[in-house]
């Protein structure tokens, strides 16, 4: 239950009502005050003050001052009149309720309207700002364009001027040539008259092909190339220069960004080439370590692990040549042969391994299991299932706990039964 | 790039452009005129030479010449100013010199190479430099051959791979060091990144290096002076500027390199009026204008007392993207400073003007 604050004081003028509400130690903030046209509420939990006003007030202009443990309201009346009392005294509950709700609704509406109004103004401002910036940018652009245009025009004029100069120069040149022609014709005529030769000199022809210009001409130096021709050296004596290029494997042009890729490719090619010839070269030069069968066995194992079965086989071969008593060599070589599908060789090697693995002791259990399994696999791949099954069962005998072997053995049994039933 | 300081820099202004109906491989200004040539390959597999004149803001077609084989490259470098004969290399390995007034029969013709001639350069003509006019061609068959138009059928110099050596494509050639009648040097760039400098006076290999990327274009800053700088551009957006004044016995020439963009730099061309400014054109359709700055001292002594060159630095003056396709050819006009033409693989040839070059 809220605590009602009833110790309020008020006085009025024809246009305003002044209400003072002491807060019993509670702190008030603007959020605690709710005011609408006819309803005033101050709610500071647990305190509550509520007043349904006698007449409507102008709640937008009314103020509330919080301070000194007191809230001081200045409410401006909508209609200037003297109120009988602050609140509506004999209002019934319903009316009160109705007024309260109304007040709340009205307040909400007002709030909404205010926010919308604010939004609208904000948008307008934004628009205005945008337009202003656009105008500025336009102006700037135009200015630059104008400057550029001016440049262009200036330059075009200069070009025209220059062109006309060229034309004039050309004209001058042709006029000059004609002048030359006339002069030469004149001179020739004189000479003709003097010497009274019979042959008619075709004037136009000679003036063009004449090697030396006649004296007394004031022609620009660039228009008489004839003088220069005489001073040209003879053509060079032919020679060849041999050229070496920076080597490049690819026929395409060299690009820095592609160099890495190209290197990689070349590397791969080189690798491929090297592995093919590896087998032969190993036999040629044996290094110290290569004479050690164990080292060779390790090498073989590594090759097998890498998937390079041929190389592994070679390693084992070499090891066997050095020491043919090591069962593991044969065992491993059998595995390689299996992978290479040299099934007969696999069987041979497994058998040899098994031979060497006698006497059967717990020590060589692992090896023997492997040997049996490998031989068994080889038999099965040759479709000699009975033999294969025998080997698998032998393996199982040594290691009954191995699930894989059991499974495979089962499979083989089924296969045998299947074929037997069939045939 | 903020507006105000940017406009102090040279601007590349697009003046005129022309859509073509064929692939243009090379474009060249006709010396002493406002005319330019476009060389290329038509869709039907024939070669085309078109002569345009710059009129106002347009290019007007004056002549069109069709040849049986597509044309890859051309130069005016070895011809006199009167004759202005065009030397071209085509896809079949033929070197031809044409008189554009009478283009039916070439003035000089030789089947110089077994495969396409990728690049051609000429020296000794146009009133530039001294000595015999010569043309050098570099081809996919790995050889670089120097021709004299006065000598038929055989080259005057042949740089070919050693017997049994597998050949590399020669992508670019350039003449240099032609400051008197005897001296001449040919620089060749190959697709495996080799750059080789051949001395024609002593008929020997003077220097070689490898820049780790196929070499698309080499050019000396001037053909007719004691060799000063060499720019070599390559795949992967890199170019190197070599200082050619000081050759170290083992280290060769000093260089500075710059990576301008991610795509191939197809061409480099030095401004004829200022040898420290050059433009590179790229596979992304962009043009970059560079300026080379010399170091305080161009050479210094190394630990053994041998002279060693010091490379300077390169700064980017401007760049512009004109097309989405590579700009494969570029030529500055020798007569008007800043006027240049470029041809791109989007079948367009553009005439550009670079402004404010005087203020650099």
């Amino acid at each position: 239950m809220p605590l009602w604050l009833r110790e309020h004081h008020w006085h009025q003028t024809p246009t305003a009502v002044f209400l003072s509400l002491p807060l019993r130690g509670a702190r008030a903030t603007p959020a605690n005050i709710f005011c609408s046209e006819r309803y005033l509420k101050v709610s500071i939990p647990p305190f509550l003050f509520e007043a349904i006003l006698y007449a409507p007030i102008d709640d937008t202009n009314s103020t509330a001052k919080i301070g000194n443990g007191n809230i001081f309201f200045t409410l401006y009346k909508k209609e200037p009149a003297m109120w009988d009392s602050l609140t509506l005294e004999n209002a019934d509950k319903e009316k009160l309720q109705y007024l309260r709700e109304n007040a709340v609704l009205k307040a909400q509406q007002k709030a909404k309207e205010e926010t919308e109004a604010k939004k609208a103004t904000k948008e307008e401002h934004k628009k205005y700002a945008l337009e202003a910036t656009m105008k500025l940018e336009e102006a700037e652009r135009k200015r630059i364009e104008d400057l550029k245009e001016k440049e262009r025009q200036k330059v075009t004029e200069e070009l025209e001027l220059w062109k006309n100069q060229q034309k004039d120069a050309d004209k001058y040149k042709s006029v000059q040539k004609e002048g030359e022609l006339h002069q030469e014709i004149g001179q020739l005529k004189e000479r003709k008259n003097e010497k009274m030769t019979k042959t008619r000199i075709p004037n136009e022809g000679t003036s063009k092909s004449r090697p030396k210009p006649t004296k007394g001409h004031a022609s620009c130096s660039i228009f008489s190339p004839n003088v220069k021709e005489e001073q040209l050296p003879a053509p060079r004596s032919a020679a060849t220069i041999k050229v070496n290029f920076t080597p490049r494997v690819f026929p395409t042009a060299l690009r820095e960004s592609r160099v890495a890729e190209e290197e990689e490719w070349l590397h791969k090619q080189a690798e491929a080439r090297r592995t093919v010839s590896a087998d032969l070269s190993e036999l040629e030069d044996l290094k110290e370590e290569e004479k050690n069968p164990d080292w060779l066995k390790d090498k073989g194992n590594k090759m097998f692990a890498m998937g390079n079965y041929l190389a592994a086989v070679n390693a084992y071969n070499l090891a066997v040549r050095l020491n043919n008593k090591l069962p593991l060599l044969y065992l491993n070589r059998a595995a390689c042969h299996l992978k290479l599908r040299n099934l007969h060789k696999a069987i041979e090697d497994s058998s040899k391994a098994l031979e060497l693995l006698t006497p059967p002791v717990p020590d060589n259990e692992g090896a023997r299991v492997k040997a049996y399994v490998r031989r068994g696999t080889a038999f099965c791949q040759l479709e000699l299932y009975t033999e294969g099954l025998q080997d698998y069962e032998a393996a199982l005998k040594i290691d009954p706990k191995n699930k894989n072997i059991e499974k495979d053995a089962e499979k083989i049994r089924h296969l045998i039964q299947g074929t037997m039933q069939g045939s | 790039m903020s507006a105000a300081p940017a406009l102090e820099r040279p601007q590349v202004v697009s003046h005129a452009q022309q859509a073509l109906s064929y692939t243009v491989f090379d474009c060249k200004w006709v010396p002493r005129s406002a005319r330019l040539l476009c060389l290329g390959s038509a869709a039907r597999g024939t070669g085309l030479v078109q002569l345009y004149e710059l009129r106002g803001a347009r290019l007007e077609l004056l002549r069109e010449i069709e040849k049986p084989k597509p044309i890859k490259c051309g130069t005016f470098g070895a011809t006199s100013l009167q004759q202005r004969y065009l030397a071209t290399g085509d896809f079949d390995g033929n070197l031809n010199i044409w008189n554009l007034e009478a283009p039916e029969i070439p003035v000089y013709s030789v089947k110089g190479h077994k495969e396409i001639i990728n690049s051609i350069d000429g020296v000794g003509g146009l009133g530039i430099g001294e000595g015999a006019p010569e043309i050098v061609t570099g081809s996919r068959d790995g050889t670089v051959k120097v021709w004299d138009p006065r000598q038929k059928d055989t080259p005057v110099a042949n740089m070919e791979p050693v017997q049994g050596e597998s050949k590399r494509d020669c992508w670019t050639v350039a003449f240099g060091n032609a400051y008197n009648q005897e001296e001449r040097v040919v620089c060749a760039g190959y697709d495996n990144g080799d750059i080789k400098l051949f001395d024609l006076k002593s008929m020997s290999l003077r220097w070689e290096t490898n820049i780790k990327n196929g070499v698309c274009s080499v050019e000396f800053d001037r053909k007719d002076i004691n060799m000063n700088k060499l720019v070599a551009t390559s795949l992967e957006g890199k170019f190197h500027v070599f200082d050619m004044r000081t050759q170290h016995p083992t280290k060769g020439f000093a260089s500075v390199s710059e990576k301008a963009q991610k795509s191939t730099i197809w061409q480099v061309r030095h401004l004829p009026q200022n040898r420290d400014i050059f433009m590179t054109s790229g596979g992304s359709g962009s043009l970059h204008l560079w300026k080379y700055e010399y170091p305080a001292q161009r050479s210094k002594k190394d630990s053994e007392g041998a002279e060693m060159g010091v490379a300077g630095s390169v700064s980017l003056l401007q760049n512009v993207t004109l097309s989405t396709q590579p700009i494969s050819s570029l030529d500055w006009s020798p007569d008007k400073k800043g006027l240049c033409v470029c041809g791109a693989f989007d079948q367009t040839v553009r005439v550009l003007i670079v402004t404010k070059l005087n203020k650099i």
Side-chain angles (χ1 to χ4, degrees):
Chain A
M1 267 302 289
L3 289 167
W4 292 92
L5 295 167
R6 298 208 192 268
E7 303 149 351
H8 55 274
H9 306 283
W10 72 292
H11 62 278
Q12 62 174 311
T13 68
T15 50
V17 173
F18 304 100
L19 172 65
S20 136
L21 182 68
L23 308 161
R24 288 196 245 132
R27 289 230 167 86
T29 62
N32 300 121
I33 302 172
F34 177 74
C35 176
S36 79
E37 274 189 359
R38 283 201 79 169
Y39 179 68
L40 179 64
K41 179 173 90 169
V42 179
S43 157
I44 307 165
F47 301 109
L48 179 61
F49 169 77
E50 178 183 78
I52 298 171
L53 301 165
Y54 189 81
I57 56 160
D58 184 2
D59 55 327
T60 33
N61 288 330
S62 307
T63 60
K65 191 165 153 197
I66 306 169
N68 297 337
N70 212 330
I71 305 183
F72 191 72
F73 290 96
T74 313
L75 310 166
Y76 294 100
K77 295 180 186 172
K78 268 215 171 134
E79 289 154 18
M82 297 300 281
W83 289 1
D84 291 337
S85 66
L86 181 62
T87 58
L88 215 51
E89 285 305 319
N90 30 347
D92 52 21
K93 233 184 168 179
E94 275 185 25
K95 198 164 183 218
L96 285 173
Q97 183 85 329
Y98 167 74
L99 279 173
R100 267 195 219 114
E101 283 176 6
N102 209 5
V104 173
L105 275 173
K106 272 212 189 131
Q108 281 179 350
Q109 241 185 6
K110 242 174 104 189
K112 233 206 291 182
E113 277 171 23
E114 265 179 35
T115 38
E116 276 180 17
K118 252 201 216 164
K119 245 207 266 176
T121 35
K122 211 176 165 190
E123 291 218 14
E124 258 192 58
H125 284 155
K126 262 199 205 163
K127 237 177 143 183
Y128 178 71
L130 190 64
E131 277 179 15
T133 17
M134 276 173 65
K135 272 203 205 124
L136 278 172
E137 282 180 8
E138 262 307 307
E140 187 64 24
R141 253 195 292 246
K142 207 163 174 313
R143 192 175 72 89
I144 296 177
E145 279 299 317
D146 285 341
L147 283 166
K148 280 197 175 157
E149 257 311 300
K150 267 197 238 150
E151 283 280 330
R152 274 195 57 154
Q153 283 173 358
K154 205 167 58 158
V155 142
T156 325
E157 284 170 12
E158 277 181 31
L159 199 61
E160 283 303 314
L161 213 64
W162 166 71
K163 259 194 55 198
N164 294 335
Q165 278 178 1
Q166 289 296 102
K167 280 213 182 113
D168 293 339
D170 276 344
K171 276 196 209 143
Y172 179 64
K173 191 171 105 179
S174 56
V175 162
Q176 265 232 313
K177 271 224 164 120
E178 278 186 50
E180 280 180 34
L181 276 170
H182 284 310
Q183 282 205 357
E184 286 178 4
I185 294 170
Q187 286 185 349
L188 285 166
K189 278 200 180 141
E190 283 174 17
R191 269 189 231 143
K192 193 177 159 193
N193 295 335
E194 286 174 10
K195 294 182 183 176
M196 309 258 280
T197 49
K198 285 177 192 165
T199 51
R200 270 188 165 270
I201 304 163
N203 298 320
E204 288 79 17
T206 38
S207 56
K208 263 198 186 159
S209 57
R210 202 174 261 270
K212 279 204 181 123
T214 53
K215 288 186 187 170
H217 279 285
S219 48
C220 314
S221 54
I222 49 168
F223 294 118
S224 58
N226 309 321
V227 185
K228 267 199 172 180
E229 264 179 37
E230 297 223 352
Q231 297 174 358
L232 282 178
R236 221 176 276 277
S237 43
T240 314
I241 305 176
K242 291 291 178 190
V243 167
N244 280 311
F245 296 113
T246 311
R248 182 170 164 77
V249 177
F250 301 91
T252 53
L254 177 61
R255 281 172 195 270
E256 260 183 325
S257 56
R258 301 274 166 83
V259 169
E261 288 171 18
E262 290 174 357
E263 289 283 292
E264 214 188 297
W265 174 241
L266 287 175
H267 205 62
K268 273 197 197 158
Q269 297 292 76
E271 278 285 325
R273 267 176 278 145
R274 252 186 304 184
T275 43
V276 169
S277 59
D279 307 336
L280 296 167
S281 53
E282 259 182 298
L283 297 169
E284 308 267 324
D285 40 358
L286 284 176
K287 292 190 242 145
E288 264 317 289
E289 26 182 23
E290 291 178 358
K291 293 185 194 145
N292 180 359
D294 277 308
W295 184 89
L296 284 167
K297 190 183 68 148
D298 283 326
K299 211 65 171 116
N301 292 348
K302 269 195 228 143
M303 294 293 177
F304 184 93
M306 283 202 314
N308 193 346
Y309 303 122
L310 280 173
V313 166
N314 274 306
Y316 294 135
N317 286 346
L318 189 53
V320 159
R321 268 167 61 174
L322 295 167
N323 180 349
N324 57 3
K325 294 285 187 252
L326 295 172
L328 285 176
L329 295 174
Y330 294 101
L331 189 57
N332 291 354
R333 203 168 67 177
C336 296
H337 282 306
L338 262 183
K339 292 281 184 188
L340 291 169
R341 307 223 34 155
N342 297 337
L343 300 167
H344 290 281
K345 288 228 178 99
I347 296 171
E348 264 178 45
D349 277 349
S350 319
S351 307
K352 187 76 195 208
L354 279 169
E355 263 178 46
L356 289 168
L357 284 168
T358 50
V361 282
D363 230 3
N364 50 25
E365 255 177 25
R368 276 183 294 127
V369 166
K370 279 196 207 153
Y372 279 120
V373 169
R374 281 168 196 171
R375 204 168 65 179
T377 321
F379 277 127
C380 291
Q381 291 194 357
L382 284 171
E383 298 197 322
L384 300 165
Y385 294 116
T386 5
E387 279 83 351
L389 189 53
Q390 273 175 6
D391 275 342
Y392 267 100
E393 295 198 335
L396 261 179
K397 239 201 301 183
I398 307 172
D399 184 6
K401 304 251 184 55
N402 192 324
K403 292 284 173 210
N404 282 336
I405 303 176
E406 231 185 273
K407 256 199 301 179
D408 290 337
E410 271 303 306
K411 262 196 265 172
I412 300 170
R413 259 183 234 119
H414 281 300
L415 270 171
I416 295 174
Q417 283 172 1
T419 50
M420 275 172 56
Q421 280 179 358
S423 59
Chain B
M1 203 167 40
S2 56
L7 288 174
E8 304 296 315
R9 298 207 231 160
Q11 299 294 316
V12 178
V13 175
S14 174
H15 182 72
Q17 70 182 44
Q18 178 76 12
L20 305 168
S21 57
Y22 59 94
T23 312
V24 60
F25 287 110
D26 205 0
C27 50
K28 285 273 180 310
W29 287 102
V30 178
R32 292 281 186 288
S33 72
R35 279 177 249 131
L36 61 95
L37 276 178
C38 293
L39 310 169
S41 155
R44 50 186 175 272
T46 56
L48 272 180
V49 177
Q50 283 190 331
L51 181 67
Y52 285 94
E53 175 148 25
L54 192 61
R55 293 221 183 121
R58 291 180 318 113
L59 282 172
E60 204 159 299
L61 178 63
L62 294 181
R63 279 196 92 154
E64 184 167 312
I65 305 164
E66 192 160 339
K67 290 294 161 201
K69 292 279 177 250
I71 300 177
K72 180 71 167 52
C73 49
T75 179
F76 281 108
T79 167
S80 67
L81 280 168
Q82 266 60 33
Q83 294 173 328
R84 292 188 279 187
Y85 292 162
L86 174 70
T88 59
D90 70 12
F91 274 50
D92 227 15
N94 299 313
L95 166 67
N96 293 314
I97 303 184
W98 309 96
N99 177 354
L100 293 168
E101 312 286 323
E104 295 77 36
I105 304 181
V107 169
Y108 178 93
S109 174
V110 66
K111 175 138 170 92
H113 294 271
K114 299 191 194 77
E115 300 193 55
I116 179 179
I117 293 180
N118 279 317
S119 170
I120 192 171
D121 194 16
V123 74
L126 299 180
I128 301 171
E130 304 185 37
E134 278 173 346
I135 297 171
V136 63
T137 53
S139 158
R140 189 184 289 171
D141 65 7
T143 61
V144 173
K145 295 187 183 171
V146 181
W147 310 86
D148 188 313
R150 299 167 294 176
Q151 180 174 298
K152 285 197 167 305
D153 299 328
T154 46
V156 295
N158 183 358
M159 284 66 121
E160 60 182 10
V162 164
Q163 267 299 350
E165 172 106 16
S166 63
K167 60 178 181 65
R168 302 300 325 178
D169 274 4
C170 173
W171 278 355
T172 176
V173 287
F175 271 118
N177 206 30
Y179 62 90
N180 66 23
Q181 294 206 357
E182 290 91 34
E183 291 285 346
R184 206 158 275 182
V185 126
V186 165
C187 182
Y190 298 82
D191 74 335
N192 64 348
D194 278 347
I195 299 179
K196 297 188 190 295
L197 195 67
F198 303 104
D199 186 330
L200 294 182
K201 180 173 165 194
S202 61
M203 279 301 176
S204 62
L205 176 68
R206 185 155 159 183
W207 168 68
E208 60 181 343
T209 183
N210 186 302
I211 59 172
K212 307 279 183 288
N213 280 300
V215 184
C216 297
S217 173
V218 286
E219 200 194 37
F220 285 95
D221 57 352
R222 287 279 180 276
K223 292 185 228 195
D224 56 336
I225 57 169
N226 199 349
M227 44 182 199
N228 188 32
K229 292 204 306 298
L230 173 72
V231 178
T233 71
S234 72
L235 304 172
E236 315 261 302
K238 284 206 178 140
F239 68 88
H240 302 248
V241 183
F242 294 92
D243 183 317
M244 305 299 272
R245 278 286 158 88
T246 323
Q247 181 167 12
H248 187 270
T250 47
K251 295 186 198 156
F253 296 104
S255 76
V256 61
S257 84
E258 190 79 31
K259 185 171 167 119
Q261 55 207 35
K262 290 201 192 80
S263 54
T264 306
I265 301 187
W266 284 73
Q267 279 279 26
V268 61
R269 286 281 179 259
H270 288 89
L271 187 63
Q273 294 85 3
N274 182 340
R275 66 189 185 188
D276 298 322
I277 298 180
F278 56 93
M279 182 112 92
T280 57
S281 71
S284 51
S286 60
L287 291 175
H288 293 249
L289 189 67
W290 303 88
K291 179 171 168 62
Y292 180 79
E293 261 120 41
Y294 293 98
Q297 274 199 307
R298 285 190 74 174
S299 72
K300 62 178 189 206
K301 291 216 184 288
D302 71 353
S303 45
E304 276 110 46
E307 286 281 333
M308 196 165 97
V310 177
S313 63
V314 166
S315 61
L316 178 64
L317 292 176
Q318 185 60 269
N319 79 325
V320 63
T321 303
L322 298 172
S323 157
T324 50
Q325 298 291 324
I327 296 182
S328 58
S329 62
L330 186 57
D331 193 33
W332 292 103
S333 165
D335 308 305
K336 171 96 181 91
K337 186 170 184 176
L339 183 65
C340 67
V341 63
C342 64
F345 282 147
D346 60 356
Q347 297 198 339
T348 320
V349 64
R350 295 174 174 83
V351 176
L352 312 165
I353 303 175
V354 182
T355 61
K356 296 205 182 69
L357 287 171
N358 292 319
K359 299 191 187 150
I360 299 184

